[in-house]
Coordinates of all heavy atoms in Angstrom, one line a residue:
T1 N -46.6 -129.7 -47.3 CA -45.6 -130.7 -47.0 C -45.9 -131.5 -45.6 O -45.7 -132.7 -45.6 CB -44.2 -130.0 -46.8 OG1 -44.0 -129.3 -48.1 CG2 -43.1 -130.9 -46.5
A2 N -46.3 -130.7 -44.7 CA -46.6 -131.5 -43.4 C -47.8 -132.5 -43.7 O -47.8 -133.6 -43.1 CB -47.0 -130.5 -42.3
G3 N -48.8 -132.1 -44.5 CA -49.9 -133.0 -44.8 C -49.4 -134.2 -45.5 O -50.0 -135.2 -45.2
T4 N -48.6 -134.1 -46.5 CA -48.1 -135.2 -47.3 C -47.4 -136.2 -46.5 O -47.6 -137.4 -46.5 CB -47.3 -134.8 -48.5 OG1 -48.1 -133.9 -49.3 CG2 -46.9 -135.9 -49.3
V5 N -46.5 -135.6 -45.6 CA -45.7 -136.4 -44.8 C -46.6 -137.2 -43.7 O -46.4 -138.3 -43.3 CB -44.7 -135.6 -43.9 CG1 -44.0 -136.4 -42.9 CG2 -43.6 -135.0 -44.9
L6 N -47.6 -136.5 -43.2 CA -48.6 -137.1 -42.3 C -49.4 -138.2 -43.0 O -49.5 -139.4 -42.5 CB -49.6 -136.0 -41.7 CG -50.6 -136.5 -40.8 CD1 -49.9 -137.2 -39.5 CD2 -51.6 -135.4 -40.3
I7 N -49.8 -138.0 -44.3 CA -50.5 -139.1 -45.0 C -49.5 -140.3 -45.2 O -49.9 -141.4 -45.1 CB -50.9 -138.6 -46.5 CG1 -52.0 -137.5 -46.3 CG2 -51.4 -139.7 -47.3 CD1 -52.5 -136.9 -47.5
M8 N -48.2 -140.0 -45.5 CA -47.2 -141.1 -45.7 C -47.1 -141.8 -44.4 O -47.0 -143.1 -44.4 CB -45.9 -140.4 -46.2 CG -44.8 -141.4 -46.4 SD -43.3 -140.5 -47.2 CE -42.9 -139.4 -46.0
W9 N -47.1 -141.2 -43.3 CA -47.1 -141.8 -42.1 C -48.2 -142.7 -41.8 O -48.2 -143.9 -41.3 CB -46.9 -140.9 -40.9 CG -46.8 -141.5 -39.5 CD1 -45.7 -142.1 -38.9 CD2 -47.9 -141.6 -38.6 NE1 -46.1 -142.5 -37.7 CE2 -47.4 -142.3 -37.5 CE3 -49.2 -141.3 -38.7 CZ2 -48.3 -142.5 -36.3 CZ3 -50.1 -141.5 -37.5 CH2 -49.5 -142.2 -36.5
I10 N -49.4 -142.1 -42.1 CA -50.6 -142.9 -41.9 C -50.7 -144.2 -42.7 O -51.0 -145.3 -42.3 CB -52.0 -142.1 -42.3 CG1 -52.1 -140.8 -41.2 CG2 -53.2 -142.9 -42.5 CD1 -53.2 -139.9 -41.7
G11 N -50.2 -144.1 -44.0 CA -50.1 -145.2 -44.9 C -49.2 -146.3 -44.3 O -49.4 -147.5 -44.4
E12 N -47.9 -145.9 -43.8 CA -47.1 -146.9 -43.2 C -47.7 -147.5 -42.1 O -47.4 -148.7 -41.8 CB -45.8 -146.2 -43.0 CG -45.1 -145.6 -44.2 CD -43.8 -145.0 -44.0 OE1 -43.5 -144.7 -42.8 OE2 -42.9 -144.7 -44.9
Q13 N -48.3 -146.8 -41.3 CA -49.0 -147.3 -40.0 C -50.1 -148.5 -40.3 O -50.2 -149.3 -39.6 CB -49.5 -146.2 -39.1 CG -48.5 -145.3 -38.5 CD -47.5 -146.0 -37.7 OE1 -47.8 -146.7 -36.7 NE2 -46.3 -145.8 -37.9
I14 N -50.9 -148.1 -41.3 CA -52.0 -149.1 -41.8 C -51.2 -150.3 -42.3 O -51.7 -151.4 -41.9 CB -52.8 -148.4 -42.9 CG1 -53.6 -147.2 -42.3 CG2 -53.7 -149.4 -43.5 CD1 -54.4 -146.5 -43.3
T15 N -50.2 -150.1 -43.1 CA -49.5 -151.4 -43.6 C -48.9 -152.2 -42.5 O -49.0 -153.4 -42.5 CB -48.4 -151.0 -44.6 OG1 -49.0 -150.2 -45.7 CG2 -47.8 -152.1 -45.2
A16 N -48.3 -151.6 -41.5 CA -47.6 -152.3 -40.4 C -48.6 -152.8 -39.3 O -48.4 -153.9 -39.0 CB -46.7 -151.2 -39.7
K17 N -49.5 -152.0 -39.0 CA -50.4 -152.4 -37.9 C -51.9 -152.7 -38.3 O -52.7 -153.2 -37.4 CB -50.5 -151.3 -36.7 CG -49.1 -150.9 -36.2 CD -49.2 -149.9 -35.1 CE -47.9 -149.5 -34.5 NZ -48.0 -148.4 -33.6
G18 N -52.3 -152.4 -39.5 CA -53.6 -152.7 -39.9 C -53.7 -153.8 -40.9 O -52.9 -154.8 -40.9
V19 N -54.7 -153.7 -41.8 CA -55.0 -154.8 -42.9 C -54.8 -154.2 -44.1 O -55.4 -153.1 -44.4 CB -56.3 -155.5 -42.6 CG1 -56.5 -156.5 -43.7 CG2 -56.5 -156.0 -41.3
G20 N -54.1 -154.7 -45.2 CA -54.0 -154.2 -46.5 C -52.8 -153.2 -46.5 O -52.0 -152.8 -45.6
N21 N -52.6 -152.7 -47.8 CA -51.5 -151.8 -48.2 C -52.1 -150.4 -47.9 O -53.1 -150.0 -48.4 CB -51.2 -151.9 -49.6 CG -50.1 -150.9 -50.0 OD1 -50.2 -149.7 -50.2 ND2 -48.9 -151.4 -50.1
G22 N -51.5 -149.5 -46.9 CA -52.0 -148.3 -46.6 C -52.1 -147.3 -47.6 O -53.0 -146.7 -47.7
I23 N -51.0 -147.1 -48.5 CA -51.0 -146.3 -49.6 C -52.2 -146.5 -50.5 O -53.0 -145.6 -51.0 CB -49.7 -146.3 -50.4 CG1 -48.5 -146.1 -49.4 CG2 -49.8 -145.2 -51.4 CD1 -48.7 -144.8 -48.6
S24 N -52.5 -147.7 -50.8 CA -53.5 -148.1 -51.7 C -55.0 -147.8 -51.1 O -55.8 -147.3 -51.7 CB -53.4 -149.6 -52.1 OG -52.3 -149.9 -52.8
L25 N -55.1 -148.1 -49.8 CA -56.2 -147.9 -49.1 C -56.7 -146.4 -49.0 O -57.8 -146.0 -49.0 CB -56.3 -148.4 -47.7 CG -56.4 -150.1 -47.7 CD1 -56.2 -150.4 -46.3 CD2 -57.7 -150.5 -48.1

């Protein structure tokens, strides 16, 4: 559960501060 929540946070951070859709990347 902690790992999935961390991945979800990583994806949202990529989408907000990076380039592209974080979940897709």
